[in-house]
Amino acid sequence: MNNIISNILRFLVVILLQIFVCNYINLFGFVTPALYLLALLLLPLELPKSAQYLIGFFTGLVIDMFTHTLGVNAAACVLVMFVRPYIVRLLNGRSTVEGVDRPEPGIKDFKWIFTYVLLLSFLHQFMVVMLETASFRNFGHTLLSVLCNTVFTAFVIICAEYIFFPIKRNA
């Protein structure tokens, strides 16, 4: 029960930070971090797939309501939730995700977390930018936008993970 409450509180805090802080960060005119991905990336993998898809959809929909993007984030979040178990299997080298530990510092090493966050951030940002532009014109600028948003989002998410889940040292 305590884990459910902590997941809900984390969701609320991250969504509020995204809406009231991160949405107003606009570096170089096109770089905005998607901190709300942190809440999705830390969801337990044991949740039923349908629940994961619904959580992803409604999380993206809330962000879409505040950014006026008409379902772009909802679609990208559902895609992230769909691909997430495959990325975990790829990183763990196993065929199943049952019993997989949470992607938190101290449980997983930095390399694992970095790869996990970077891959899913790239997928999310690629989907968002491609759905927003709906064109391959100015592909160089589009690719630059995807890469810059991916790097900045991954940096912000990893920093937040290490702030929310500090590594516990044995005394």
Side-chain angles (χ1 to χ4, degrees):
M1 186 61 137
N2 193 19
N3 193 22
I4 294 171
I5 293 170
S6 66
N7 278 330
I8 291 170
L9 286 174
R10 181 176 54 234
F11 248 88
L12 292 174
V13 168
V14 170
I15 296 296
L16 291 173
L17 280 171
Q18 180 69 43
I19 291 169
F20 294 114
V21 177
C22 292
N23 284 350
Y24 294 101
I25 297 172
N26 196 357
L27 301 175
F28 311 114
F30 61 91
V31 179
T32 302
L35 178 64
Y36 71 93
L37 275 177
L38 175 64
L40 297 177
L41 298 181
L42 291 177
L43 276 176
L45 289 163
E46 296 82 26
L47 277 176
K49 286 185 180 187
S50 57
Q52 291 182 39
Y53 298 153
L54 285 172
I55 291 169
F57 176 75
F58 284 113
T59 301
L61 198 61
V62 167
I63 299 302
D64 285 329
M65 288 187 326
F66 286 94
T67 58
H68 309 290
T69 50
L70 301 174
V72 169
N73 289 292
C77 287
V78 170
L79 179 65
V80 165
M81 297 312 289
F82 175 76
V83 173
R84 191 171 73 121
Y86 299 107
I87 299 293
V88 170
R89 284 184 197 139
L90 177 74
L91 293 174
N92 285 341
R94 314 184 218 178
S95 60
T96 61
V97 295
E98 286 81 24
V100 172
D101 295 324
R102 295 177 312 258
E104 297 174 6
I107 296 174
K108 294 292 186 183
D109 65 343
F110 179 79
K111 180 182 171 187
W112 194 98
I113 292 171
F114 178 76
T115 307
Y116 175 74
V117 170
L118 194 66
L119 288 173
L120 290 172
S121 295
F122 175 79
L123 179 69
H124 178 268
Q125 292 300 325
F126 182 80
M127 183 76 162
V128 166
V129 170
M130 293 311 290
L131 287 174
E132 283 178 344
T133 60
S135 169
F136 285 102
R137 293 172 62 177
N138 298 327
F139 185 72
H141 184 269
T142 302
L143 185 60
L144 178 66
S145 177
V146 169
L147 293 176
C148 289
N149 276 307
T150 298
V151 169
F152 193 52
T153 295
F155 175 75
V156 169
I157 288 174
I158 289 171
C159 287
E161 274 197 84
Y162 279 91
I163 290 169
F164 288 144
F165 304 103
I167 298 173
K168 296 173 180 83
R169 305 268 184 220
N170 291 333

